[in-house]
Amino acid sequence: GRLGEPALRPATRIRILGRSCLAARCRASGRAGAGGSIKPLACLTPMSEGPIDEHEALARLRSDDPSAQYYAAWWLGRNRSRHPEALPLLLTALQQRRPRDPGAGVEENAVARNAARALGKLGDPGAIPELLAALEDPDDGLREAVARSLGELKAEAAVSSLVRRLASGPDVAGAPRED
């Protein structure tokens, strides 16, 4: 959430960030609010005590920690990073796709979805070929993020793929692929 907005339930934050100890750490640091809710700043920065910068976001995207990568991809897109490493690192994160595992916390597809969103926000047409390939992913959430990013990039090359997918109707267009 944004500052000033109601906080998410701690269980929701733990699932999003993939940090089982986050709620306990926030309570111990005094950042837990009434009823156990966690103040937004603590949840947006799972690995540090304050807001991160571009250098830290890039380092997190290079890490092996999906929670850190998830936040880093969001940060780079939100801040529309122009760092020369942002695009290649986000394209690599977009490739981190595996079948969903509901018990895995922040699974790799969550990282890929945030990377897809960030690529649209960066506005670099160099991301279009990789985004087009991701349009065929079995993860409907990833396909949605990719479609939105291609729209932000005004990628005319995506029109035929999107029209073909949407022509099948809402029950089929949003359904996972069966091949």
Side-chain angles (χ1 to χ4, degrees):
R2 295 182 193 155
L3 293 177
E5 290 182 352
L8 295 173
R9 293 187 328 266
T12 304
R13 290 226 167 107
I14 291 168
R15 183 177 51 81
I16 291 171
L17 296 174
R19 297 269 187 219
S20 59
C21 63
L22 181 61
R25 199 174 73 179
C26 289
R27 282 189 198 93
S29 70
R31 292 189 180 180
S37 64
I38 300 171
K39 296 176 186 173
L41 180 61
C43 292
L44 293 178
T45 56
M47 293 176 64
S48 66
E49 289 302 317
I52 68 170
D53 60 12
E54 187 173 51
H55 175 75
E56 175 69 15
L58 293 166
R60 288 183 185 196
L61 202 51
R62 284 186 213 98
S63 79
D64 292 329
D65 180 359
S67 294
Q69 293 171 332
Y70 178 87
Y71 178 64
W74 172 84
W75 193 98
L76 292 169
R78 172 75 171 93
N79 291 287
R80 290 169 170 73
S81 174
R82 293 287 172 225
H83 193 283
E85 291 183 60
L87 180 66
L89 286 171
L90 287 167
L91 289 172
T92 298
L94 180 64
Q95 298 305 313
Q96 288 183 219
R97 301 191 299 263
R98 292 179 176 76
R100 286 191 183 193
D101 178 6
V106 176
E107 90 293 339
E108 286 83 359
N109 282 356
V111 174
R113 287 189 295 272
N114 262 7
R117 291 179 190 110
L119 288 166
K121 293 182 185 322
L122 296 187
D124 189 324
I128 293 173
E130 297 292 333
L131 289 168
L132 284 171
L135 265 180
E136 299 303 319
D137 195 87
D139 182 339
D140 56 318
L142 178 59
R143 288 194 314 267
E144 179 185 351
V146 166
R148 289 178 185 272
S149 289
L150 288 165
E152 287 183 66
L153 293 169
K154 298 178 181 17
E156 292 181 20
V159 173
S160 63
S161 295
L162 291 169
V163 168
R164 179 178 34 81
R165 185 86 181 168
L166 293 172
S168 59
D171 293 334
V172 177
R177 287 181 21 191
E178 295 190 20
D179 53 293

